[in-house]
Amino acid sequence: MPTTPRSNRLQRTLKDGGVALGILENTYNPTLVEFYGDLGLDFVWIDLEHAGPSPWDGDRLEDLLRAADVTETELLVRLPEPDPGMIRKALDAGVRSLFVSRIETADEVRQALEASRFEYDGDPGRRGFASPRASRWGTADDYAGTEDDEIVLGVTIENPTAVDNIDDILAVPELGFVFAGPLDLAVSTGHPGEPTHEDVEQHVDRIREAALEADVPLGGLGFGMDDVNEKAESGYQILNIGSTTGALQGTVQSWLDEYGGG
């Protein structure tokens, strides 16, 4: 009996003009992915660029996806580069929301989007057809006809070249969102570890203004809840509010600070 594909919660939030809040799960633990969903987060960010399992490790990715499915939160997966094969691998495992790093040009964005679609911009896409987990191993009802509508693919803007090309990047059809990356922008502008440096903030402001003008959802990092609230009010729709290790560090440090001695 055919099964109905799961709809994309993050996509629904973006289309409705809402703000999606999530956390970076940087221990890559399915139990915590499930727990964050129970807590009500809209997405759990799994970063395969800087750490964690290989982006080619479909088994590990499937376990994390199953944990997200239990609570209907969305797994937001970052890939280290716009490699078409890597994109197809992640989508076939069941990823519905992803973004790719190391983007500089509109052509690279278009190639990434083509790899994520069976049909793209009125032409055949480059997704490739099989019967993996994404299709419920061939049992999903009208998989080919509905899958493209459930995929959200965004890109990280993290270097001056990409900022210079931002208008062309935003004009690429079906781009799901752009994610302003202040930490990598700090590195690429010669200010590593200074995401609030004036040069970095100018680039981030340029990205924000261009995304709002183009009506493309904007994502970014929240540095404390005051910053999260300010960014939500200024047009951000995808906001990461912290990380697993950051939350643990803050909690455990507060316990130690309150310890009165033995």
Side-chain angles (χ1 to χ4, degrees):
M1 182 176 179
T3 59
T4 301
R6 181 174 65 92
S7 62
N8 189 324
R9 177 177 174 177
L10 177 62
Q11 182 190 62
R12 295 198 308 270
T13 300
L14 297 180
K15 283 187 174 181
D16 291 343
V19 177
L21 300 180
I23 193 164
L24 172 64
E25 208 309 88
N26 53 353
T27 69
Y28 305 91
N29 187 309
T31 299
L32 287 174
V33 171
E34 182 180 352
F35 180 49
Y36 287 137
D38 280 330
L39 289 175
L41 290 171
D42 298 296
F43 68 89
V44 179
W45 176 8
I46 297 295
D47 189 349
L48 302 183
E49 179 183 12
H50 294 298
S54 164
W56 297 101
D57 190 342
D59 290 342
R60 286 289 302 279
L61 198 50
E62 285 184 8
D63 286 342
L64 293 164
L65 286 159
R66 290 186 186 98
D69 289 347
V70 170
T71 54
E72 296 187 355
T73 189
E74 196 66 32
L75 209 67
L76 178 58
V77 177
R78 177 159 75 171
L79 299 179
E81 56 184 305
D83 179 279
M86 191 182 296
I87 291 169
R88 288 190 287 264
K89 179 76 170 179
L91 295 177
D92 284 351
V95 174
R96 293 289 181 270
S97 302
L98 72 163
F99 61 125
V100 293
S101 299
R102 308 300 167 183
I103 286 288
E104 292 190 344
T105 68
D107 285 342
E108 291 172 334
V109 177
R110 186 179 182 92
Q111 289 171 9
L113 282 159
E114 285 176 340
S116 74
R117 300 290 197 270
F118 292 122
E119 296 182 14
Y120 178 71
D121 197 22
D123 294 314
R126 298 178 180 272
R127 171 73 185 268
F129 195 86
S131 297
R133 182 176 183 275
S135 71
R136 309 312 302 164
W137 296 278
T139 69
D141 188 29
D142 194 21
Y143 171 59
T146 61
E147 176 74 353
D148 287 355
D149 294 335
E150 298 300 327
I151 301 302
V152 174
L153 188 145
V155 297
T156 309
I157 307 299
E158 54 194 350
N159 61 70
T161 302
V163 176
D164 289 342
N165 292 328
I166 188 64
D167 292 326
D168 290 338
I169 288 172
L170 291 165
V172 176
E174 301 180 39
L175 177 61
F177 62 90
V178 291
F179 194 97
L183 296 175
D184 284 323
L185 276 167
V187 173
S188 62
T189 55
H191 309 290
E194 301 180 61
T196 59
H197 190 280
E198 181 181 0
D199 293 345
V200 178
E201 291 189 335
Q202 286 179 353
H203 284 310
V204 171
D205 286 342
R206 171 75 179 104
I207 296 166
R208 186 185 70 84
E209 292 169 1
L212 295 177
E213 178 71 21
D215 197 27
V216 173
L218 172 66
L221 302 175
F223 298 101
M225 290 311 297
D226 287 342
D227 184 55
V228 168
N229 289 325
E230 289 177 7
K231 283 177 175 171
E233 292 175 0
S234 71
Y236 282 77
Q237 284 189 264
I238 301 174
L239 284 164
N240 184 72
I241 61 176
S243 68
T244 295
T245 54
L248 285 172
Q249 178 186 2
T251 299
V252 173
Q253 190 63 59
S254 71
W255 291 342
L256 294 175
D257 290 344
E258 294 174 13
Y259 175 60

